[in-house]
Amino acid sequence: MKKYLLPVLTLLIPIVTFSQEAQKGLDEKVNDAFMPVATWWEGFILTKVPIGEYQIPFVVLLLVFGATFFTIYFKFPSITKFITAINTVRGKYVDIEKHGVDKLYNNDEALAEEDIADTIRDESAHGEVSHFQALATAVSGTVGLGNIAGVAVAIGLGGPGATFWMIICGLLGMSTKFVECTLGVKYRDIGKDGTVYGGPMYYLAKGFKEIGFSKLGKILGVLFAVLCVGASFGGGNAFQSNQAAVQISTLLNLQGGSNGVIIGLFLAFFVGVVIIGGIKRIAKITEKIVPFMAGLYILASLVIIFANISDIGLAFSLIIDGAFTPMAGLGGLVGVLIVGFQRAAFSNEAGAGSAAIAHSAVRTKYPASEGVVALLEPFIDTVVICTMTALVIIFFNINGTDAQSVFNYTAEHGSSVILKSTDSPISGVDLTSLAFDSVIPHFSYVLTIAIVLFAFSTMISWSYYGLQAWKYLFGKGKTADMVYKVLFLLFVVIGAAATLDAVIKFSDAMILALVFPNMIGLFFLFPKVKQELTRYLSAIAIKKEAIEDGAIDVTKHM
């Protein structure tokens, strides 16, 4: 690994030699040249469809329709399969996932203890990581700045009512995640060395070939891979390092033109150490970072919620009332709904297909086992963490008397909230930081650590997503891998060193662009998911029947 880090850092170090003036000039040139492209791309991806008096982005309609359809078709898996998902993550069914129900229980008849002694030595199940590691890797790619700054933006744009629609989108998105991640495992490729290659580009190509649309599948697979590489450099990388660098510079009151580059080099070094080790090292890191940072953030949120427990009723009334009877100037009911769904889509990426790349690496013989695990992801990301962030922000600006005047909005301030205490606008992560500081003094220091960890985990997860897409386009050789990783680390530094609004806008739109090829695939291939779900649930039922009959002590083989 050291032999790779040295040339990578050698390529990164020359960036430090840019003077402050040179950096500023380059930033302005890049922004001036790229802004028209970024604006066009964002406008194209967020093309609006006139429905009555409203203009609704087509991608939002696609996400909502798809998630609603899958929720109904699979009989509300977010509720009916929730316990199964928890048990799968806990490892309750690891024996049948590892060896297959056929070998363990011979389908209809449980094998004798002496027969199983040989049977369980079969270690043929493909995959590189456990269910928990796959979930942690995928969650680390979604739980991040969208949960801290994104919620503040949603409330700034759509009021507290936008929170309600974020929650609804999260619940519906659980079904979409279930579908795409089941397909990710079903159609993955396994290398001779056991390395797993999976994601939408594979199930689009292989799945469409099965149903007689081989050429369309190849086109959609390549399109997704190209968009995924771009998203990994931008929204999954440069934006993350930029926000982390800004928070560190603000907290430490750093001045000077080289701070971003220096911080970026440090981030690039640590990211490089992890990503050069591949998915196994990424999984080992994320399974430690994600529970820690999510636990820290949830704990702090709970402290503030309990400190304001007397206002909990008012806060939820603002969320619910604002969802159906928006305050003046918010663009009406549909306007608030669009804001909530769009911000939730950015946050949990349900429908974008990116998480299916991480989930594809799981060790299991039953694709649907990882599908049910994946449905937990939007629940953790959007339903739990985003809701807690929203409550913290609402409590911060609440006055306890007039429910309809807790938040003020003006068009000139865009997504900013007008603080009742100072009558000044504030938005994004600064709003969230002030909200925490108001109850937990100096928590902004802890929040900065959380933001850096969020950004770091998101970057390493997206490096894996982008690398898998890169391999699909350019092959699976070591040289191709190293080229991508060098480029990825360069974007870590570039993102930290410069404020490229055009690039960020372009990258965010590119993440949403993933929805188009991915959702087309889901609409064509969802019957395959139904088959895999039936197969997995049947295996679980056979195991339960064997336990109830007392034919075998299954716990010895878990």
Side-chain angles (χ1 to χ4, degrees):
M1 184 179 67
K2 291 181 180 179
K3 67 178 181 180
Y4 292 128
L5 281 178
L6 184 57
V8 169
L9 292 176
T10 302
L11 287 172
L12 296 176
I13 289 174
I15 300 176
V16 182
T17 61
F18 285 170
S19 65
Q20 183 175 358
E21 291 76 13
Q23 291 179 48
K24 181 178 178 182
L26 179 61
D27 293 349
E28 291 179 351
K29 290 178 181 178
V30 171
N31 277 308
D32 291 343
F34 203 70
M35 183 62 79
V37 178
T39 302
W40 174 84
W41 180 247
E42 183 184 46
F44 175 74
I45 296 303
L46 297 179
T47 297
K48 296 181 179 179
V49 178
I51 298 181
E53 60 181 301
Y54 299 104
Q55 297 286 326
I56 304 177
F58 178 72
V59 68
V60 174
L61 288 175
L62 187 60
L63 286 169
V64 174
F65 173 77
T68 304
F69 173 77
F70 295 136
T71 297
I72 296 172
Y73 181 82
F74 288 101
K75 300 177 181 178
F76 296 85
S78 57
I79 299 172
T80 59
K81 302 299 181 291
F82 194 86
I83 299 301
T84 303
I86 297 295
N87 287 335
T88 303
V89 173
R90 287 178 52 232
K92 187 173 182 179
Y93 311 122
V94 69
D95 54 340
I96 59 176
E97 291 165 16
K98 191 173 185 180
H99 310 295
V101 72
D102 294 356
K103 291 185 178 180
L104 283 178
Y105 306 113
N106 199 24
N107 275 330
D108 298 321
E109 299 179 6
L111 300 181
E113 288 278 353
E114 56 270 20
D115 295 329
I116 281 209
D118 292 326
T119 302
I120 63 172
R121 292 196 184 99
D122 178 13
E123 303 288 343
S124 61
H126 294 305
E128 299 183 79
V129 297
S130 67
H131 283 298
F132 181 77
Q133 288 176 325
L135 178 64
T137 301
V139 168
S140 71
T142 56
V143 175
L145 297 174
N147 305 84
I148 299 175
V151 175
V153 170
I155 293 176
L157 286 170
T163 306
F164 177 85
W165 296 113
M166 288 186 74
I167 295 171
I168 296 299
C169 183
L171 292 172
L172 292 175
M174 293 169 72
S175 302
T176 307
K177 274 285 172 77
F178 159 71
V179 173
E180 60 192 14
C181 292
T182 299
L183 291 173
V185 178
K186 178 175 176 60
Y187 292 105
R188 63 187 178 180
D189 277 352
I190 309 294
K192 293 181 179 179
D193 60 351
T195 302
V196 176
Y197 307 97
M201 48 277 189
Y202 289 93
Y203 61 68
L204 286 169
K206 297 168 72 173
F208 272 61
K209 184 178 180 180
E210 278 189 4
I211 60 176
F213 296 99
S214 180
K215 290 184 178 180
L216 177 59
K218 288 180 179 179
I219 293 172
L220 291 175
V222 170
L223 176 61
F224 182 91
V226 171
L227 294 173
C228 187
V229 170
S232 74
F233 288 153
N237 182 356
F239 176 70
Q240 308 298 325
S241 64
N242 177 270
Q243 292 295 288
V246 168
Q247 283 300 301
I248 293 172
S249 297
T250 300
L251 182 68
L252 301 178
N253 194 27
L254 298 176
Q255 303 293 331
S258 299
N259 291 324
V261 174
I262 295 172
I263 294 171
L265 282 170
F266 275 104
L267 288 173
F269 175 79
F270 289 110
V271 170
V273 168
V274 176
I275 69 174
I276 288 175
I279 184 61
K280 291 183 179 179
R281 178 169 286 138
I282 291 173
K284 288 180 180 179
I285 296 296
T286 54
E287 75 172 340
K288 295 178 175 64
I289 290 180
V290 171
F292 170 75
M293 67 184 185
L296 177 67
Y297 192 78
I298 290 173
L299 180 62
S301 299
L302 287 174
V303 168
I304 295 177
I305 290 170
F306 281 111
N308 293 272
I309 197 68
S310 60
D311 287 326
I312 193 73
L314 177 57
F316 275 108
S317 70
L318 282 169
I319 291 173
I320 297 173
D321 292 345
F324 297 99
T325 56
M327 288 171 264
L330 297 182
L333 170 62
V334 175
V336 177
L337 183 149
I338 291 172
V339 170
F341 271 81
Q342 190 167 320
R343 295 319 307 172
F346 272 111
S347 178
N348 62 46
E349 297 170 19
S354 52
I357 300 174
H359 287 285
S360 296
V362 74
R363 287 188 295 267
T364 184
K365 286 180 175 292
Y366 295 88
S369 70
E370 190 59 21
V372 296
V373 167
L375 64 80
L376 294 174
E377 192 183 321
F379 181 81
I380 297 169
D381 175 273
T382 306
V383 178
V384 176
I385 298 181
C386 285
T387 301
M388 286 187 166
T389 302
L391 288 173
V392 169
I393 293 172
I394 293 171
F395 286 142
F396 174 56
N397 208 36
I398 209 165
N399 67 355
T401 55
D402 183 3
Q404 292 302 313
S405 65
V406 174
F407 290 86
N408 297 314
Y409 307 89
T410 60
E412 64 179 297
H413 293 303
S415 63
S416 297
V417 168
I418 310 302
L419 293 184
K420 298 188 72 62
S421 58
T422 63
D423 200 33
S424 59
I426 188 170
S427 65
V429 71
D430 291 334
L431 173 59
T432 310
S433 183
L434 277 179
F436 276 98
D437 267 353
S438 66
V439 176
I440 309 175
H442 307 299
F443 186 78
S444 56
Y445 292 94
V446 179
L447 187 62
T448 297
I449 296 173
I451 287 172
V452 172
L453 289 177
F454 278 136
F456 179 74
S457 64
T458 300
M459 284 188 288
I460 62 177
S461 294
W462 266 96
S463 73
Y464 180 69
Y465 298 166
L467 179 60
Q468 290 290 76
W470 185 274
K471 287 174 182 287
Y472 184 83
L473 293 170
F474 300 108
K476 301 168 182 176
K478 292 183 179 180
T479 302
D481 285 10
M482 192 50 56
V483 170
Y484 173 81
K485 290 173 182 178
V486 169
L487 289 173
F488 190 87
L489 295 178
L490 282 171
F491 271 91
V492 174
V493 181
I494 292 171
T499 305
L500 301 176
D501 292 336
V503 174
I504 294 171
K505 180 184 290 189
F506 180 84
S507 301
D508 284 346
M510 190 168 283
I511 289 177
L512 276 182
L514 297 175
V515 171
F516 293 102
N518 184 57
M519 289 300 289
I520 290 173
L522 301 189
F523 285 136
F524 274 89
L525 299 174
F526 72 88
K528 303 288 184 180
V529 177
K530 180 71 171 179
Q531 295 171 7
E532 291 297 339
L533 178 61
T534 300
R535 179 169 165 258
Y536 182 53
L537 294 180
S538 297
I540 293 175
I542 291 172
K543 173 176 179 173
K544 288 181 179 179
E545 185 178 350
I547 295 174
E548 291 171 359
D549 292 344
I552 186 171
D553 183 6
V554 181
T555 58
K556 291 182 180 180
H557 312 291
M558 293 183 62

